[in-house]
Amino acid sequence: MTRKPRSYYEPPSLMRSPTMTHAVPLPALDERSMRLRRLVIQALDGGGRGHLGSSLSLIEIVRVLYDEVMNHRPAEPRWEGRDRFILSKGHGCLALYAILADKGYFPEAELARFCRNGSYLGGHPEAGKIPGVEASTGALGHGLSIGVGMALGLRIKASAARVFVAMGDGEINEGSVWEAAMAAGKHRLANLTALVDYNKIQSYGFVSEVQPLEPLADKWRAFGFAVEEIDGHDVAALHGALSSPDAESRPKAVICHTVKGRGVPFAENDPKWHHKSNIPAPEIAAMYAALETI
Amino acid sequence: MRKTSLDMVHELARRDKRVVFVGSDLGVGTLNAMKKEMPERFFMEGVAEQNIIGMAAGLAMEGFIPYVNTIATFLTRRCFEQVAVDLCLHKLPVRLLASGGGMVYAPLGPTHLAIEDMAIMRALPNMTVVAPSDAEEMKRVMAASLDLPGPMYVRFGKGGDPVVPQTEFTLGRAAWIRPKAEVILVSTGVMTERCVRAADLLKAAGIVCGVLHMPTVKPLDAQAVLEAARAAKLLVTVEEHVVNGGLGTAVAEVLIDAGGVLPAVRRLGLADAFTKNYGSQDDLLAEAGLQPEQLADTVKAALGR
């Protein structure tokens, strides 16, 4: 390890955010959040690679959706009444695989075969292969348009199901995201919720340097969304923002301020952990150690 | 062809509740009747091709059959990744109705011409590529499109194209418009009508010439190609498309993979270049040597007559 672990929540763009002004030690994660992260490490270790940082920032987002918000049936993944979740930032799939395995969509043992020949768990999720995966993603900027189409389709069918699309902050550099946002605003898709995993780091480096996004909430508002800005690791805040659609029938955008690599101190806020391969055994052991329940 | 195709979308939508229309920003009043009759299944979504394809994918995932219409070049070049990933990888029943295939938009220049569209679409797994010869065939293509499980690209001609008499269309099957002979012209789209006229000119000059129409460019009717190759001394592919990657390439692939003795083969089409001139579709086809008299002359020269 070449980098001194950081324990402060201090990316520069976040400091300018009106709702998140603290630079304080990160609050402890509870056992459920730790467990889901251990499943991520299990897959990372099995595959010998993975987008660790990009997945760890997403954990509480998928946890709250699958535990508390979405109607879904793990034994019946194509149940017509289910709420749909699209992981548009497909590279964050370790988080999705962890929650799907935890919920019983497929056996946890499969996680150890991540990215291996013969496994259905690839480095980006594929629909039709993995029970519970709605859309194949990995090429960025596709998920929100698909979500718009699903939301329109559900509306025609008079279904009460909702559609959730999780995007990365780097991902929303793609122009197609804003094409989709325009369409969602036009159609007032109250059954659509866009989530931005705003972990402040994209592949090359800090979002504030590569392609700054602020004022991000204003951008979504300008496209016709009801916007909430929350701590994306705060389970109660996520529940509050996601549990119901907007009262004024607008699509919702939930900007989730997160920490890339959250839960593994030496990976937190470090662009080098966006994607890693050939991770030495002691580092894997250190990850598990960091995620032990005290 | 566009009007016929879009009228058929409305008709199919009446017959089948799964059918929806998705347009970008094309043609004042397009499908007004459908918009009025079933507004919930009519979408005109603006100049945003990437979103339109993704949205159509989402609708298809919910069980609908979206018919998407905009200009061919913007459906192929602009949103290629959405077509590849959202439609082809998921194998969704989305139909791409591509206005202005080939040199239709000749006066508008190279930004608007779709002359490599079939090569682009043909490269994608699960994609069906069809180029009807005229509005009558378009009706049959549209009727056949309803139950195809995967995505489909349909290339439109200019409109008002002369009708090539034929009665049947089966996806993936070629049709003999003039019976096989020593010389066979193999063509697709609006070039088939020009090939028929070339065959008539050749007949007057004492050369019997077959015409094999291949409206489905992918999957190609390999049996028909091999049947033609066995019968002919000279096989000429003719397309309103660059010579690399289109019908001629597809036919050559079939022949080479089959092995054995090949007839002489000529691939006629557009040069691997951006167009330099404007004018009409016919002007540019003449520049490329693809008008009936020119086709007949090329055949005569190839036969040494």
Side-chain angles (χ1 to χ4, degrees), chain B residues 45-75:
Chain B
E45 295 302 301
V47 194
E49 291 81 5
Q50 298 179 83
N51 179 56
I52 282 165
I53 298 299
M55 192 181 125
L59 282 160
M61 288 173 183
E62 290 301 331
F64 293 92
I65 306 175
Y67 284 76
V68 180
N69 171 238
T70 189
I71 292 177
T73 189
F74 307 138
L75 268 180

Side-chain angles (χ1 to χ4, degrees), chain A residues 78 80 84 126-127 134-136 139-140 142 145-146 148-150 152-154 156-157 176 179-180 183 186-187, chain B residues 20 40-41 43-45 47-51 54-55 57-59 61-64 81-82 85-86 89-90:
Chain A
R78 303 294 297 166
E80 176 65 22
R84 280 72 164 154
E126 281 191 69
E134 297 282 350
S136 301
L140 296 175
H142 290 233
S145 290
I146 293 175
V148 165
M150 284 181 166
L152 286 167
L154 290 167
I156 300 171
K157 293 191 280 188
S176 54
E179 291 185 6
K186 166 190 165 182
H187 291 289
Chain B
V20 298
E40 74 288 357
R41 286 191 280 151
F43 300 100
M44 192 59 82
E45 295 302 301
V47 194
E49 291 81 5
Q50 298 179 83
N51 179 56
M55 192 181 125
L59 282 160
M61 288 173 183
E62 290 301 331
F64 293 92
E81 191 180 82
Q82 276 76 10
V85 175
D86 301 353
L89 179 59
H90 292 88

Side-chain angles (χ1 to χ4, degrees), chain A residues 23-96:
Chain A
V24 295
L26 294 169
L29 298 167
D30 67 10
E31 165 54 22
R32 176 129 183 85
S33 282
M34 298 281 235
R35 168 179 151 70
L36 291 170
R37 283 178 171 78
R38 287 195 298 271
L39 292 178
V40 166
I41 306 307
Q42 202 178 310
L44 182 83
D45 188 23
R49 63 183 307 125
H51 286 88
L52 180 69
S54 322
S55 299
L56 292 182
S57 57
L58 270 171
I59 294 290
E60 281 67 34
I61 293 172
V62 294
R63 166 186 167 179
V64 171
L65 282 170
Y66 282 84
D67 279 1
E68 303 174 21
V69 174
M70 296 200 314
N71 290 309
H72 66 112
R73 296 178 179 170
E76 203 186 334
R78 303 294 297 166
W79 170 50
E80 176 65 22
R82 75 197 182 281
D83 292 327
R84 280 72 164 154
F85 174 69
I86 298 171
L87 182 64
S88 192
K89 52 169 284 187
H91 60 284
C93 61
L94 288 169
L96 179 61

Side-chain angles (χ1 to χ4, degrees), chain A residues 160-234:
Chain A
R162 297 173 67 193
V163 181
F164 298 89
V165 180
M167 292 171 284
D169 45 14
E171 174 179 15
I172 65 174
N173 296 170
E174 292 283 6
S176 54
V177 169
W178 301 100
E179 291 185 6
M182 250 190 289
K186 166 190 165 182
H187 291 289
R188 297 186 69 86
L189 293 173
N191 55 353
L192 177 69
T193 298
L195 296 115
V196 180
D197 177 10
Y198 197 4
N199 62 30
K200 317 297 181 302
I201 296 174
Q202 51 193 114
S203 180
Y204 180 81
F206 288 94
V207 165
S208 58
E209 289 162 16
V210 178
Q211 178 54 64
L213 297 171
E214 294 297 337
L216 185 57
D218 289 346
K219 286 188 171 79
W220 288 99
R221 246 176 241 121
F223 280 79
F225 281 70
V227 181
E228 293 198 45
E229 219 171 338
I230 58 166
D231 176 341
H233 297 297
D234 180 335

Side-chain angles (χ1 to χ4, degrees), chain B residues 3-77:
Chain B
K3 185 173 185 318
T4 305
S5 168
L6 297 186
D7 287 347
M8 279 295 290
V9 172
H10 188 187
E11 194 182 315
L12 293 172
R14 280 188 181 131
R15 266 196 253 162
D16 193 320
K17 286 197 178 313
R18 297 171 300 168
V19 172
V20 298
F21 174 78
V22 184
S24 62
D25 184 31
L26 200 59
V28 180
T30 291
L31 278 180
N32 255 347
M34 178 177 174
K35 184 182 177 181
K36 211 171 159 187
E37 190 181 320
M38 43 188 96
E40 74 288 357
R41 286 191 280 151
F42 175 92
F43 300 100
M44 192 59 82
E45 295 302 301
V47 194
E49 291 81 5
Q50 298 179 83
N51 179 56
I52 282 165
I53 298 299
M55 192 181 125
L59 282 160
M61 288 173 183
E62 290 301 331
F64 293 92
I65 306 175
Y67 284 76
V68 180
N69 171 238
T70 189
I71 292 177
T73 189
F74 307 138
L75 268 180
T76 51
R77 290 174 176 169

Side-chain angles (χ1 to χ4, degrees), chain B residues 66-301:
Chain B
Y67 284 76
V68 180
N69 171 238
T70 189
I71 292 177
T73 189
F74 307 138
L75 268 180
T76 51
R77 290 174 176 169
R78 182 75 183 204
C79 47
F80 181 67
E81 191 180 82
Q82 276 76 10
V83 173
V85 175
D86 301 353
L87 305 188
C88 293
L89 179 59
H90 292 88
K91 204 175 178 185
L92 293 172
V94 174
R95 287 76 181 89
L96 305 177
L97 306 177
S99 292
M103 297 292 204
V104 167
Y105 293 124
L108 305 183
T111 59
H112 278 58
L113 302 181
I115 57 174
E116 76 293 81
D117 56 329
M118 294 197 289
I120 293 172
M121 291 293 108
R122 206 172 74 80
L124 295 173
N126 298 330
M127 181 60 85
T128 295
V129 180
V130 179
S133 58
D134 52 64
E136 290 303 310
E137 187 168 53
M138 176 60 85
K139 279 186 202 161
R140 296 189 284 270
V141 168
M142 291 295 290
S145 71
L146 192 62
D147 290 317
L148 183 73
M152 180 179 184
Y153 176 79
V154 185
R155 188 194 222 215
F156 291 4
K158 185 157 67 75
D161 303 273
V163 173
V164 178
Q166 51 180 328
T167 52
E168 277 184 43
F169 170 81
T170 308
L171 266 174
R173 296 291 296 277
W176 289 100
I177 308 296
R178 292 280 186 277
K180 58 191 169 198
E182 281 191 336
V183 178
I184 294 172
L185 302 176
V186 182
S187 63
T188 189
V190 299
M191 293 314 296
T192 294
E193 189 272 335
R194 288 170 176 81
C195 286
V196 169
R197 278 193 276 155
D200 290 345
L201 291 168
L202 287 165
K203 192 176 178 187
I207 299 166
V208 184
C209 182
V211 177
L212 182 63
H213 176 47
M214 308 208 74
T216 312
V217 173
K218 184 183 180 178
L220 196 74
D221 186 345
Q223 289 310 314
V225 170
L226 294 174
E227 191 186 330
R230 279 193 294 270
K233 284 183 185 160
L234 174 64
L235 200 67
V236 182
T237 64
V238 184
E239 60 195 310
E240 187 188 14
H241 187 272
V242 291
V243 285
N244 40 322
L247 176 71
T249 304
V251 166
E253 286 166 358
V254 168
L255 295 176
I256 288 164
D257 289 349
V261 180
L262 298 181
V265 178
R266 295 278 188 287
R267 292 186 299 133
L268 305 183
L270 309 173
D272 177 18
F274 292 103
T275 52
K276 291 191 176 61
N277 288 320
Y278 305 107
S280 69
Q281 179 185 23
D282 274 328
D283 290 338
L284 296 191
L285 288 176
E287 276 182 27
L290 295 175
Q291 294 292 20
E293 300 76 12
Q294 296 168 306
L295 295 173
D297 289 345
T298 301
V299 168
K300 284 182 204 164

